[in-house]
Amino acid sequence: MTTRMLGAPVLRTEDPRLLRGEGRYLDDLGQGAYEVAIVRSPHAHARVLDIDVTGALDVDGVVAVYTYEDLPPRLRERLPVLIPHPALTAARTQHVLAAGEVNHVGEAVAMVVARDRYLAEDAANRIHVAYEPLPAVVGHERAASGQLLVHDDIPGNLAATLTQEIGDAPGRIAAAPNRLTFRLDIDRSASTPMETRGVHARWDADDQRLRVHSSTQTPTSVRAVVASYLELPLAQVECVAPDIGGGFGVKIVHPWPEELLVPWAARLLGHEVKFTEDRREHFISANHERGQVQFIDVGFDDDGRILGLDVRLLHDHGAYIPYGLIVPIITSTQLLGPYRITDYRVRFDSLYTNTVPVSPYRGAGRPQGCFAMERTMDRIARHLGLDRTLVRERNLIRPDEMPYDFGLTFQDGRPYAYDSGDFPASLAKLRELADWDGFPARRAAAEAAGRLLGIGMAAYVEGTGVGPYEGGHVQVETTGKVKVATGLSTQGQGHRTAFAQVVADALGVPFEDVEVVTGDTRRFAYAVGTFASRAAVMSGNAIHLAALKVREKALRIASEALEVDVEDLELVDGHVRVVGSPATSIPLGVLATMSNPLRYAFDASARIATQFASPGTTDRPPVAAGESPGLEGTDFYSPLRSTFANGMHAVEVEVDPETSDVRILRYSVVHDCGTLINPMIVEGQIMGGVAQGVGGALYEEMAYDEHGQLLNASFMDFLMPYASEVPAVAVDHLETPSPLNPLGIKGAGEAGVIPGSAALASAIEDAVGVGIDAMPLSPSRLHALRVAADHR
Amino acid sequence: MDRTTPAPEALHDVELTVNGQVRRARVPARRLLSDLLRHDLELTGTHVGCEHGVCGACTVLLDGMPVRSCLTLAVSVSGRAVTTVEGLAAEDGTLHPVQRAFQEHHGLQCGFCTPGFIMTACAFLAEEPAPDAATIRDAMSGNLCRCTGYAGILAAVAGAAEELAGTGVDPRERHRPEGAA
Ligand code: FES
Ligand code: FES
């Protein structure tokens, strides 16, 4: 009997290759390729007066140097606005190479192609660019004041203002017995995958085809944009995402300038060309996220129930806005979390600054929203002298209120409606897992020893599995092996394993016989991409549906061959067999052969499908109308709307009374992402997310000075957590399957990171008794807050 | 800015032992060991995450000691022995106990940092065959991983230590499956 794979903690099939050092990441490809170095702006805001490349041309091994002037007309156009929105009235994107102006440190100005990267960098250093520096706009306040402009023709530095409203928040707040208003600040951070960006291209002059490899979360869309900007028919362009060393959102953005320049140069030069970004470049030319200023106005009753909530957000999206308004829209909606809030108004201003552009980083606006909501809950609790979990409990949406439609519009343009979840049950689990009720005793014991302890929590709801669609192709080969393809790419989520589990169950084949390919447009050309915790939901279900088609076809062919009703057949261990008489069976591989009527017996097994060996009936064509040869199926999954995962974190911290250093003593996670395909992988996603949450709360920030220089653009100064900073995590799952998709899955990719800052702020505030309104919180910042509080 | 015509670079012969084999290359003096391994010898299992010595992805063993190959000049290792992640699994591909432990404990997601962690772990376990959890955490705290949150990595190193304990196997050596000569 084939054992059920869905829900089993199967070891990953991708691991042995990667562990032996046989992975193929972007920079492992194209060993003979020319390499690219980019000349980047050292100024945050400047006019480019002149570019003198003559010095570069003298370097031995330089092949070509390009500036804006050298580009063909189509490549001189600005990059696309990837996600247009009616409110995005002043969208501005960059050029692939600066056209007379630069708007952030790191913006691409010129490109050198050389025999290797060392020589390309030598040459890049010899290019002289004359700049006329302009004043830089840095920070929310300066951007919002509009006194200095990033783009001369965009007044107020304002790309968009968007208000969403349900009920009458101002009215309810004014009439509420209690009211609080306050400001919160969140600093920037960034995805910071261990592998930087990279792209490699090869023009095959014989086939007249362009093959692009990119370290991207969306190879299908990279293919389309390369074809568009290089003015090639789509059929002549293919894009493959090789092994990818992490993405976390930043690699969903496309096209990066290099993603167009490298293929263009490869075709022009008739030689492979490759760009591998270095770490400093990644800090100053790959997108950031998180930075927001939030103004909260909340009215609530004496039990802590929120009556009205009015929120204003200043969102700093950097120098350009290629990814539209996705991040602030997500903050605006997901801020509501698991709480029943009927009177809500949220308005955001999306502002230009002379800094690296902003686009989603794991969590994508949700950590900020969660911070706003959960800080609000804590303030209400403190104001009323109530337990923090009690205030939350009183505001939770109940399971019998599901589906719960807020009346807002989500990031996919569809209703913001929760499909499932049991929030009170999650809270009860969390209190138990974290031993919330035992904390006062722990604190008292610690206090007696002169130690400062605090506990905090935060809850979130995460819209996952956004559309529009994904697809899957499942094919049984005549060997009986099953080949599966889906278009989106993989950055470490173990899709090959998880999707093979889905197919093994649907087809009743051994897991080992299923091989999955992701992110290769040659194998599957229709896809959207890997973001928004959507891959398992979207491709998982699409592959499941495709496998069901194959199953149906296998049963049909077997039913004809065995002259047995389909209802009396089952798929077990790679065979279709008769229920109750397992000896009567046909291997799937044989059914695959039979499904493809042949003229030529190219091998022994093919004989059975040839015209004289298997004449069949002569009163219908060998491939009947509506049929197609081959035991394969393609299907797509396109949901009506997003599904919503949820969870809650609690964290217990110790603050050093002398140094204000924060140590995490205990971290508890309760998590509901519906049906688990592979609990080991899901847990890994949560652990990784928690580590990023801790980093964002305590360590990571983008230290821009007032001139727009990023002062910490290296791993020496941008502090990502090592093992020494990440706590052990206790996890408990709640599985309320989503009613929206056949497998009942909700996404899990981003969850772990969302409540990190909120929970840690809550715990630290509890430990030191000083209000925490800004993140991240380094020991020196915390110390300054404590000293200031002492002096009040 | 430099306006003189740059002189072509002088090349130097390097001869070293990599994973038990003598390898030779002609490289400029500034060539990094990481680039020599990855691009001259095409051993791309060693990864580069920062090229400034912080992330540890590029860790290899130099005469058995862990070094950051991005901070090591290729010309400086002539005559010495380097072990990379390609030098651990058995000839038939069977995973080394440390590698296997990483799979079993889900110690990798994207796999980019993994070779650095594995080489670090091999050197650590050679020195400290019976470490406790705190020592393991400490020893693994010089490498960055953005995916895993480290839980699986720490469990893997503990698992590998247990597995290797008492076998007398030097974890820096290529794996010899039982039964193999
Ligand atoms: S690449 Fe060598 S330490 Fe990061
Ligand atoms: S597994 Fe991706 S960086 Fe460690």
Side-chain angles (χ1 to χ4, degrees):
Chain A
M1 191 59 210
T2 316
T3 50
R4 189 169 157 79
M5 297 304 290
L6 212 68
V10 183
L11 295 186
R12 301 198 324 165
T13 48
E14 35 284 85
D15 289 354
R17 272 177 59 243
L18 302 178
L19 286 163
R20 284 192 292 256
E22 293 165 2
R24 283 291 169 273
Y25 300 86
L26 199 282
D27 189 53
D28 305 341
L29 309 171
Q31 290 287 352
Y34 291 152
E35 293 202 70
V36 161
I38 303 284
V39 176
R40 300 189 182 279
S41 171
H43 299 287
H45 196 188
R47 263 182 249 300
V48 179
L49 303 176
D50 181 57
I51 307 177
D52 178 1
V53 303
T54 43
L57 299 173
D58 294 337
V59 175
D60 187 33
V62 166
V63 177
V65 179
Y66 302 109
T67 66
Y68 181 76
E69 305 298 322
D70 302 311
L71 301 172
R74 178 72 173 110
L75 275 178
R76 291 185 182 202
E77 291 174 30
R78 289 183 186 276
L79 297 181
V81 179
L82 287 171
I83 309 180
H85 188 285
L88 182 53
T89 49
R92 184 60 43 86
T93 55
Q94 71 180 106
H95 292 278
V96 292
L97 293 171
E101 185 177 329
V102 285
N103 283 296
H104 67 87
V105 170
E107 186 165 348
V109 175
M111 169 167 89
V112 178
V113 184
R115 220 169 45 227
D116 70 26
R117 170 83 184 204
Y118 290 72
L119 300 170
E121 284 185 28
D122 286 348
N125 285 334
R126 298 168 65 91
I127 291 175
H128 182 73
V129 185
Y131 294 97
E132 179 198 331
L134 301 168
V137 180
V138 181
H140 293 92
E141 272 81 5
R142 278 168 79 181
S145 82
Q147 279 167 357
L148 295 169
L149 296 181
V150 176
H151 304 289
D152 291 342
D153 55 342
I154 299 181
N157 295 308
L158 195 61
T161 292
L162 184 67
T163 303
Q164 291 211 61
E165 193 165 8
I166 47 173
D168 171 23
R172 295 293 304 271
I173 293 168
N178 306 286
R179 179 177 187 171
L180 291 169
T181 56
F182 52 97
R183 169 188 166 145
L184 301 170
D185 285 78
I186 296 149
D187 223 305
R188 277 192 180 199
S189 184
S191 302
T192 327
M194 292 308 297
E195 182 200 34
T196 52
R197 297 183 298 121
V199 57
H200 166 263
R202 180 205 326 243
W203 172 252
D204 187 324
D206 298 332
D207 284 354
Q208 291 286 300
R209 283 174 82 93
L210 181 67
R211 179 178 310 164
V212 179
H213 278 89
S214 183
S215 189
T216 180
Q217 294 173 223
T218 177
T220 48
S221 200
V222 169
R223 176 193 185 209
V225 79
V226 167
S228 171
Y229 275 76
L230 266 53
E231 299 178 288
L232 284 167
L234 193 62
Q236 279 172 255
V237 181
E238 47 204 42
C239 181
V240 184
D243 288 317
I244 299 181
F248 314 114
V250 68
K251 293 178 183 174
I252 193 67
V253 175
H254 64 285
W256 299 100
E258 300 86 352
E259 260 170 341
L260 298 177
L261 289 166
V262 166
W264 171 69
R267 183 167 178 222
L268 201 63
L269 299 169
H271 197 283
E272 284 175 68
V273 177
K274 176 165 77 175
F275 165 71
T276 305
E277 184 185 53
D278 72 23
R279 184 53 63 183
R280 178 176 154 75
E281 287 183 286
H282 189 78
F283 275 103
I284 60 174
S285 65
N287 291 2
H288 301 166
E289 211 233 280
R290 299 288 194 258
Q292 263 179 15
V293 176
Q294 309 172 329
F295 301 92
I296 316 278
D297 188 357
V298 62
F300 48 99
D301 67 17
D302 293 332
D303 293 331
R305 280 192 195 84
I306 291 182
L307 302 173
L309 180 64
D310 197 2
V311 176
R312 204 167 104 71
L313 306 171
L314 299 181
H315 177 77
D316 162 13
H317 65 251
Y320 302 105
I321 192 160
Y323 213 75
L325 303 176
I326 291 299
V327 172
I329 288 176
I330 294 178
T331 304
S332 305
T333 44
Q334 296 258 262
L335 187 148
L336 295 168
Y339 307 113
R340 186 194 313 96
I341 291 169
T342 51
D343 296 80
Y344 176 54
R345 181 171 73 173
V346 59
R347 169 184 151 187
F348 67 76
D349 291 343
S350 198
L351 297 163
Y352 288 99
T353 60
N354 289 112
T355 59
V356 170
V358 160
S359 60
Y361 155 37
R362 193 183 207 169
R366 295 178 187 86
Q368 301 93 309
C370 182
F371 190 66
M373 190 73 231
E374 296 295 310
R375 293 279 66 212
T376 303
M377 286 291 170
D378 282 353
R379 284 194 178 238
I380 293 173
R382 190 151 55 144
H383 185 81
L384 298 175
L386 294 173
D387 180 82
R388 288 167 290 164
T389 59
L390 183 65
V391 170
R392 287 171 170 87
E393 161 77 31
R394 287 176 176 163
N395 283 285
L396 290 177
I397 295 166
R398 308 275 136 192
D400 58 16
E401 295 174 273
M402 294 288 172
Y404 189 90
D405 190 342
F406 282 92
L408 296 165
T409 302
F410 194 39
Q411 62 149 328
D412 51 3
R414 292 174 170 259
Y416 186 62
Y418 297 168
D419 54 315
S420 55
D422 185 342
F423 306 144
S426 292
L427 183 57
K429 263 181 186 290
L430 183 77
R431 288 177 56 121
E432 193 179 313
L433 189 65
D435 188 18
W436 185 273
D437 295 333
F439 178 72
R442 294 198 289 284
R443 168 158 34 209
E447 233 166 43
R451 297 167 57 206
L452 275 178
L453 260 51
I455 193 168
M457 70 155 290
Y460 66 92
V461 171
E462 184 199 3
T464 69
V466 299
Y469 75 89
E470 287 297 331
H473 176 249
V474 175
Q475 177 168 24
V476 180
E477 295 198 332
T478 55
T479 55
K481 304 273 188 220
V482 185
K483 305 296 173 190
V484 181
T486 188
L488 53 68
S489 62
T490 301
Q491 303 82 41
Q493 302 91 336
H495 293 150
R496 286 172 210 177
T497 306
F499 297 156
Q501 289 177 253
V502 170
V503 171
D505 272 3
L507 283 184
V509 294
F511 169 75
E512 301 71 38
D513 285 352
V514 186
E515 187 193 68
V516 179
V517 168
T518 60
D520 184 339
T521 63
R522 297 168 300 181
R523 290 290 304 277
F524 204 92
Y526 289 96
V528 183
T530 305
F531 59 92
S533 308
R534 70 192 292 282
V537 182
M538 303 300 300
S539 281
N541 280 294
I543 289 169
H544 173 72
L545 295 172
L548 292 183
K549 280 192 171 176
V550 174
R551 179 188 177 91
E552 192 192 303
K553 187 164 183 180
L555 289 172
R556 188 154 32 92
I557 299 169
S559 141
E560 278 174 29
L562 295 169
E563 299 182 344
V564 175
D565 278 354
V566 164
E567 293 75 57
D568 296 326
L569 296 171
E570 59 182 358
L571 273 106
V572 180
D573 283 337
H575 290 68
V576 175
R577 68 183 195 194
V578 177
V579 178
S581 112
T584 315
S585 74
I586 310 181
L588 275 179
V590 171
L591 291 171
T593 304
M594 292 165 65
S595 73
N596 180 21
L598 291 173
R599 189 171 176 86
Y600 309 116
F602 44 78
D603 65 16
S605 66
R607 280 177 52 106
I608 56 165
T610 55
Q611 55 199 21
F612 299 111
S614 156
T617 85
T618 51
D619 54 6
R620 67 167 200 226
V623 177
E627 284 287 328
S628 53
L631 187 47
E632 59 183 300
T634 298
D635 212 340
F636 294 86
Y637 173 66
S638 182
L640 207 52
R641 52 189 164 86
S642 294
T643 176
F644 287 83
N646 67 84
M648 301 180 185
H649 292 194
V651 58
E652 205 167 311
V653 299
E654 172 164 5
V655 178
D656 186 313
E658 299 295 318
T659 65
S660 298
D661 189 32
V662 175
R663 201 155 66 88
I664 298 172
L665 303 179
R666 181 165 177 159
Y667 202 107
S668 313
V669 173
V670 171
H671 182 249
D672 177 1
C673 63
T675 308
L676 301 176
I677 301 178
N678 184 325
M680 179 191 80
I681 290 176
V682 170
E683 212 146 287
Q685 290 293 315
I686 294 172
M687 300 293 179
V690 167
Q692 285 175 331
V694 168
L698 300 180
Y699 308 107
E700 296 167 13
E701 64 182 304
M702 291 293 173
Y704 274 106
D705 72 7
E706 82 243 53
H707 307 295
Q709 294 292 338
L710 184 59
L711 303 178
N712 62 340
S714 89
F715 277 163
M716 270 172 288
D717 303 306
F718 177 84
L719 303 177
M720 247 157 65
Y722 287 99
S724 38
E725 281 76 47
V726 178
V729 179
V731 183
D732 197 355
H733 295 282
L734 201 76
E735 278 193 54
T736 58
S738 169
L740 293 182
N741 63 71
L743 294 175
I745 304 172
K746 312 178 209 174
E750 297 171 278
V753 78
I754 296 169
S757 283
L760 274 154
S762 179
I764 294 168
E765 184 172 278
D766 186 47
V768 300
V770 177
I772 305 294
D773 300 328
M775 281 286 176
L777 201 56
S778 64
S780 39
R781 252 194 212 177
L782 178 57
H783 206 68
L785 287 178
R786 291 176 63 209
V787 169
D790 282 350
H791 285 114
R792 265 206 298 270
Chain B
M1 192 190 52
D2 184 358
R3 287 214 183 264
T4 57
T5 303
E9 284 184 287
L11 298 178
H12 305 266
D13 287 310
V14 187
E15 180 179 311
L16 70 166
T17 306
V18 182
N19 302 329
Q21 287 185 333
V22 177
R23 306 290 303 261
R24 296 182 186 85
R26 268 174 85 72
V27 298
R30 62 178 172 170
R31 193 133 180 102
L32 302 174
L33 176 57
S34 50
D35 286 329
L36 172 91
L37 291 169
R38 293 180 42 75
H39 300 308
D40 295 300
L41 305 182
E42 299 195 9
L43 290 169
T44 54
T46 300
H47 297 154
V48 167
C50 69
E51 281 185 314
H52 48 255
V54 183
C55 75
C58 65
T59 304
V60 298
L61 305 184
L62 183 60
D63 295 328
M65 299 295 289
V67 299
R68 311 236 141 162
S69 61
C70 76
L71 295 184
T72 308
L73 293 174
V75 289
S76 73
V77 302
S78 228
R80 303 180 66 183
V82 172
T83 310
T84 69
V85 73
E86 288 94 340
L88 294 179
E91 300 291 353
D92 69 357
T94 308
L95 296 181
H96 179 285
V98 173
Q99 292 172 322
R100 200 170 56 238
F102 268 71
Q103 181 180 26
E104 276 164 12
H105 296 275
H106 194 27
L108 66 156
Q109 289 182 23
C110 77
F112 196 80
C113 68
T114 311
F117 273 99
I118 295 210
M119 300 319 291
T120 306
C122 286
F124 165 62
L125 292 175
E127 214 151 81
E128 187 81 61
D132 59 20
T135 320
I136 293 174
R137 190 178 281 272
D138 204 41
M140 293 296 120
S141 286
N143 291 48
L144 286 171
C145 172
R146 193 58 159 170
C147 294
T148 63
Y150 304 103
I153 294 175
L154 301 179
V157 177
E162 217 163 278
E163 165 121 15
L164 286 163
T167 60
V169 167
D170 185 331
R172 297 167 298 185
E173 299 281 321
R174 188 180 282 287
H175 180 51
R176 286 191 183 72
E178 272 171 67

